[in-house]
Amino acid sequence: MKKETIWYLDRRDFLKFAVGAVAGIHCSPMPWWLANDIALWTQNWSWRPSPQKGPVSFINSTCKLCPGACGIKVRLVGNLPVKIEGNPLHPINQGGICPLGAAGLQFLYSPSRIKSPLKRTGERGEGIWQEISWDEAIAELVEKLRDLRTNGNSHTVACIDGQRHGTMSRLWERFLKAYGSPNHIYTPSVEDTYDFTLTLMQGEGNGVGFDLENTRYILSFGCSLIEGWGAPTRMMRAYGAWRGEKLGNRTKIVQVDNRSSITVGKSDEWIPAFPGTEGALALGIAHVIIDEELYDSNFVKNYTYGFDKFKSLVLKEYSPQVVSEKTQVPKDTIIRVAREFATTKPSIALWGRGKGSRPSGFYESMAIHSLNALVGNINRPGGVLIPKGLPLTSWPDVEMDDIGTQGYYMPRVDQSKDLRFPFVAHRLQNMAANIQEETFYPINMLLVYEANPFFSIPDNLSFIQATKKIPFIVSFSSYMDETAMQSDLILPNHTYLERWDDAFTPLGLQYPVLSITRPVIKPIFNTQHTGDIILSVARELGGPVARSLQWHSFKDVLKQNTQGLFHYGKGIVPEAEPKEPWKGLSKESPSLPFASSDEMWNRMVEKGCWYDPAYSFGKWNRIFTTPTKKFEFFVTKLTTLLPKARDEVFLPHYEPITLEGDYPLLLMTYELITLVNDGIGNPPFMTKILDDTLLKKNDVFVEINPKTAKQYGLGEGDYAEIQSIKGKVRVRVHLFEGAMPGIVNIPLGLGHTAYDEYLKGKGVNPNEIISVVKEPVSDLALGWGTGIKLVKV
Amino acid sequence: MKEVHKNGVKWGMVIDLDKCTGCGACSVACQAENNISFRKDETDRLRRISWLEIYQISNHLPYPHTRVIHMPRPCMHCDHHTPCVSVCPASATKTGADGVVSQVYPRCFGCRYCMAACPYHARYFNWWDPTWPKGMEKYLNPDVSPRMRGVVEKCSFCYHRYHRAKNKAFMEGRRELREGEYIPACVEACPSKAMTFGNLNDPHSEVARLAKSPFAFRLLEKLGSEPKVYYICTQDWVRKQADNYLEEERLRHE
């Protein structure tokens, strides 16, 4: 039999084949097809957004997300806004923008937007709403307002206003006055502190300016200078300018703070003082300045009153040794800083903790501002200035009938005109207490505009509890926030990108600015401008209310403001980028080039603002309007009020703050520029960039010094419960060397129970466990810290 | 690779950490400009997408000497043996003639080799389909294509803004861009003017001047990848951390 040849594969053949195949495949286009196919296969996307294309245009407007009043430039593609940038023409931010401003479009399209007027049908806070028409909503509001007014209860209407610096607040004030209610209450802010400090020591408290760009030495008592204090973007721009100077010539920043914050990290020196003792530290510094005769004797002699009394008090009670024991600041540091502060010219002392969302203590503010007077840095370049007011068109007097007059001159429900201490203009905390304890008259209607007090004020739960006694709460919020959740009727406002609005000079700026906000897109939901609602409610109410508010629309109100500026005749509506407007403040601004106020209005809308970068130095009678026409170390206005008090009461001194209850640790809240903690919710873009030592999944981290943590057996990432007199919250622990031993630091702005899935339920809201302390004499509600116990869980 | 843009433009950035306030405006502006998606929980650093990351660095000294600062970190656009470019099997990333390291999404098949190679963690993978809350997709920027699940993405120095600037210059009859005409969104947003962008090859440009500062440094210079992002800081402890070693590495190097 012929042997058959069996086809078989030996090792060599296999290798030949394999090599051949590899070579062959690579000569073919197959690998590239495969790579392409893999790419296609991995890029399955069921839904693909295709952004609309179109011509690009820009609209200048003003950001209303904080009172900083930055100019913005909104980029549109077709008719849709796609990006918010800084307006380079605007003097405050000069083209820069903060993270919040840059995230603005996430507010416009936020899932929390309220899409139409809503009427509550379920229990309060249950979130069951019925959509109603605008006519129905306004009719309901008008009916309730009319009933209250007819029955002589107009004063039982209160309005909480979170805006302050704009024509809207002027309009609210006017409406409430004509209607007959004194209760137009602003949300707490450090501005109240500045107002009463200046009212008492300098005579008038209508705005303060800090000439920071021109100063050489900054002594900041807890101000988060670059984290949202004052006008945030202006502060960051100023910081960039200081650091842009040559080495050795840079403005020195000394930061007094209880934790190593971002501002501390960027300052030249950190002075950790125990929280609440800042006033004592300032007096210790004053002691050295007076003792070593480093003060400006010319200024002190000619422009101050009560220096001798102040001198003897400070020399007697506040030697560096004594202050060092109170504040935990080394004696040598106090002496050195005092010498630097007094000899570096110009230097400035600043106060207002964090971003300034809570008032600072009264004597603390007085003590710190005294330092400015000692070195003579008031009404001088690089010092504390009183900026010119905005020359707006003045409105005719409000027409008042009997009911209106009677209501308007009732005492305020927050007791802010209380004779015991009538210098604090707004005391929201008192309102809650008075409603709860029924000490005053009841509040029958609460109107909430651009504020979220149910979340943002210290001890918010007590506040919410008190408001249960208010039968009718109306929210004008654009978003379903905590306050809107608890209201009975929601009349949603346009967002700042859909409405006409304006912003006045922000806190701390040296010169007046009026910025215009204009719609960049048609309202995307069934919302209405609250200003227009006020005007139509006034029309419906009729009588003196209607006659006091005769404007056709809110835009007309804004337009009318321009007439005042036009007649004032000076200032700049920017055509080119401003070149460091803080230089040459002593020069007068150019005249306005417009033929009519309409022309000026059109140009302001186009460019975004009007400003007047001028300041008249000297003119001391404008700066000091106290009874003595001087800066008063010894406050004469208080002497008439408290005739029997000892001298110390009228002088800056240190008043220790006693916290409620006996607790081993102190909880301090802190604020971040990347975390909004007032009227609005944090946008997703900003929540994304939070440090992972701050938020992990839904847990918030508190900062504790490793030594303190060790005492409690706590390690990095451990869960713990914080217990205070008000309640408890669950947190995780982050060991942080930059925390003062014995103090637990917790960020403000998390712990929302409202808003959308991008924010709700993340972290805890420290306001819930903060007990508010009343400062003696001023009766000011302080809520920056509280005594706590820490338990490992 | 260096020869490519020897006589032409070489885009680069200088970040002055003395001026930087760590506010994060650059990062937010970047997210808004480049259609970067976001999710309900963004606390996982290994999964979240943020082209311009804000790093927190500390001097780790005990109280009261502790200092913490923040530092923005875009893509470094490495100039020499660009680590991601040398490993990409799909030719999805290239160093352009102007020095910008590009990323072509339709070519990327998501092997993530480049992410492993990048010493700066500047590259991000799309683990999920990006989605936006209803209606929010209306703010997306048509100049930048949204990415899909399964691809890697990273900072492009806002290259689409370069295209826009070039088109504008062309329409005005110019071949060269003026300084500052093309800047990425982060540089434009910076409120303290800490970021500068421009042509590193132009000796008269601001970036070229700043990059020569005695306080200028780059991250991980020891690797020799020649990043085109420079930092300036007068504080020694910050500069020292730029070429940081891990504990076990330190032993080998010292």
Side-chain angles (χ1 to χ4, degrees), chain B residues 1-253:
Chain B
M1 259 180 235
K2 262 188 163 172
E3 282 71 22
V4 180
H5 44 69
K6 203 170 179 181
N7 303 313
V9 287
K10 181 165 121 179
W11 297 115
M13 189 188 285
V14 177
I15 303 175
D16 188 337
L17 293 181
D18 281 359
K19 290 183 180 176
C20 170
T21 65
C23 71
C26 48
S27 185
V28 171
C30 170
Q31 296 180 55
E33 179 79 38
N34 292 298
N35 297 339
I36 293 175
S37 65
F38 54 90
R39 295 172 55 77
K40 285 166 208 167
D41 178 40
E42 285 282 14
T43 59
D44 186 348
R45 286 223 163 187
L46 297 174
R47 293 282 184 271
R48 78 175 176 206
I49 298 172
S50 101
W51 292 6
L52 202 159
E53 187 69 83
I54 310 287
Y55 283 144
Q56 187 196 60
I57 56 176
S58 166
N59 62 0
H60 296 293
L61 289 177
Y63 175 87
H65 305 288
T66 324
R67 289 292 174 111
V68 176
I69 70 156
H70 288 76
M71 185 174 123
R73 191 247 41 220
C75 169
M76 297 288 135
H77 295 273
C78 303
D79 214 33
H80 189 56
H81 289 301
T82 314
C84 51
V85 172
S86 21
V87 301
C88 179
S91 299
T93 180
K94 286 272 175 241
T95 315
D98 45 17
V100 176
V101 179
S102 63
Q103 175 77 14
V104 185
Y105 311 117
R107 278 192 207 156
C108 172
F109 52 69
C111 70
R112 289 178 280 139
Y113 199 172
C114 55
M115 288 172 69
C118 176
Y120 303 102
H121 301 283
R123 298 181 148 266
Y124 296 88
F125 184 63
N126 281 275
W127 291 95
W128 300 275
D129 272 337
T131 52
W132 283 267
K134 192 170 173 281
M136 210 184 259
E137 74 281 353
K138 288 207 183 83
Y139 77 36
L140 294 179
N141 178 4
D143 289 349
V144 181
S145 55
R147 282 72 60 188
M148 53 302 262
R149 182 183 59 196
V151 304
V152 170
E153 59 180 79
K154 71 162 195 79
C155 156
S156 65
F157 268 171
C158 288
Y159 210 67
H160 59 284
R161 292 172 70 112
Y162 185 29
H163 285 308
R164 274 210 181 276
K166 276 202 292 192
N167 287 348
K168 188 163 170 271
F170 181 77
M171 294 304 284
E172 289 166 9
R174 285 179 290 129
R175 288 184 66 99
E176 305 274 318
L177 291 184
R178 292 193 199 101
E179 192 174 358
E181 216 169 357
Y182 156 47
I183 51 167
C186 51
V187 177
E188 180 188 58
C190 181
S192 61
K193 309 244 188 283
M195 300 169 106
T196 315
F197 186 84
N199 182 3
L200 286 168
N201 273 357
D202 173 4
H204 305 295
S205 72
E206 184 72 0
V207 269
R209 191 184 68 78
L210 290 171
K212 289 194 194 84
S213 154
F215 298 106
F217 63 95
R218 289 175 290 180
L219 299 183
L220 301 176
E221 269 182 281
K222 63 182 175 190
L223 300 178
S225 65
E226 303 280 328
K228 283 191 280 288
V229 176
Y230 290 75
Y231 292 87
I232 292 179
C233 190
T234 52
Q235 296 190 49
D236 290 341
W237 71 269
V238 177
R239 282 207 308 278
K240 274 183 192 147
Q241 295 206 12
D243 253 332
N244 225 347
Y245 296 100
L246 294 169
E247 275 309 311
E248 62 269 23
E249 273 184 326
R250 193 181 297 277
L251 295 174
R252 260 185 278 143
H253 282 279

Side-chain angles (χ1 to χ4, degrees), chain A residues 100-357:
Chain A
L100 183 63
L105 289 174
Q106 295 200 317
F107 288 95
L108 177 67
Y109 293 114
S110 165
S112 308
R113 282 291 303 272
I114 297 167
K115 298 179 179 68
S116 81
L118 296 177
K119 189 186 163 132
R120 177 175 66 83
T121 49
E123 288 297 304
R124 248 192 209 167
E126 217 176 22
I128 303 175
W129 304 96
Q130 186 199 341
E131 287 192 12
I132 53 172
S133 72
W134 275 101
D135 287 346
E136 286 173 276
I138 294 173
E140 176 156 0
L141 181 62
V142 168
E143 190 196 319
K144 288 238 163 53
L145 283 168
R146 188 178 284 133
D147 282 356
L148 287 171
R149 197 171 200 272
T150 331
N151 299 332
N153 282 328
S154 63
H155 61 286
T156 64
V157 174
C159 171
I160 299 177
D161 179 351
Q163 289 259 310
R164 276 176 197 248
H165 291 286
T167 301
M168 268 306 290
S169 293
R170 278 180 88 197
L171 192 72
W172 270 117
E173 180 69 31
R174 190 173 176 86
F175 170 78
L176 288 164
K177 186 171 180 181
Y179 175 77
S181 168
N183 296 313
H184 180 214
I185 306 166
Y186 290 151
T187 43
S189 158
V190 76
E191 282 187 51
D192 292 331
T193 318
Y194 289 121
D195 279 356
F196 67 69
T197 313
L198 264 68
T199 304
L200 292 172
M201 299 184 102
Q202 296 190 187
E204 243 168 278
N206 281 328
V208 59
F210 300 108
D211 195 10
L212 296 170
E213 287 87 350
N214 292 317
T215 206
R216 297 287 317 280
Y217 192 96
I218 295 171
L219 185 53
S220 147
F221 288 83
C223 316
S224 296
L225 293 178
I226 50 171
E227 298 166 82
W229 181 87
T233 314
R234 176 240 178 171
M235 289 306 297
M236 291 192 269
R237 178 76 193 92
Y239 181 82
W242 297 326
R243 293 304 191 234
E245 296 286 330
K246 286 210 170 60
L247 269 182
N249 203 27
R250 296 180 174 177
T251 296
K252 183 167 181 177
I253 305 166
V254 178
Q255 180 72 7
V256 180
D257 219 323
N258 68 290
R259 64 181 277 276
S260 185
S261 63
I262 291 180
T263 307
V264 165
K266 290 288 173 179
S267 65
D268 296 283
E269 183 170 355
W270 174 27
I271 303 181
F274 195 78
T277 66
E278 288 87 349
L281 180 63
L283 293 164
I285 292 170
H287 178 104
V288 179
I289 294 175
I290 296 172
D291 192 40
E292 300 188 359
E293 297 193 354
L294 296 171
Y295 56 87
D296 184 336
S297 51
N298 183 37
F299 182 90
V300 167
K301 196 173 129 217
N302 294 322
Y303 303 113
T304 69
Y305 170 78
F307 177 68
D308 294 334
K309 283 182 178 148
F310 179 61
K311 182 178 172 181
S312 57
L313 176 78
V314 167
L315 290 183
K316 196 169 128 230
E317 309 254 346
Y318 300 99
S319 72
Q321 185 59 44
V322 174
V323 169
S324 176
E325 280 158 25
K326 284 189 175 116
T327 58
Q328 302 183 8
V329 178
K331 195 177 123 186
D332 295 345
T333 308
I334 300 174
I335 297 172
R336 183 174 47 78
V337 167
R339 287 177 186 156
E340 285 176 8
F341 179 76
T343 53
T344 318
K345 303 255 172 199
S347 60
I348 196 166
L350 301 173
W351 64 101
R353 196 181 295 278
K355 287 182 194 169
S357 64

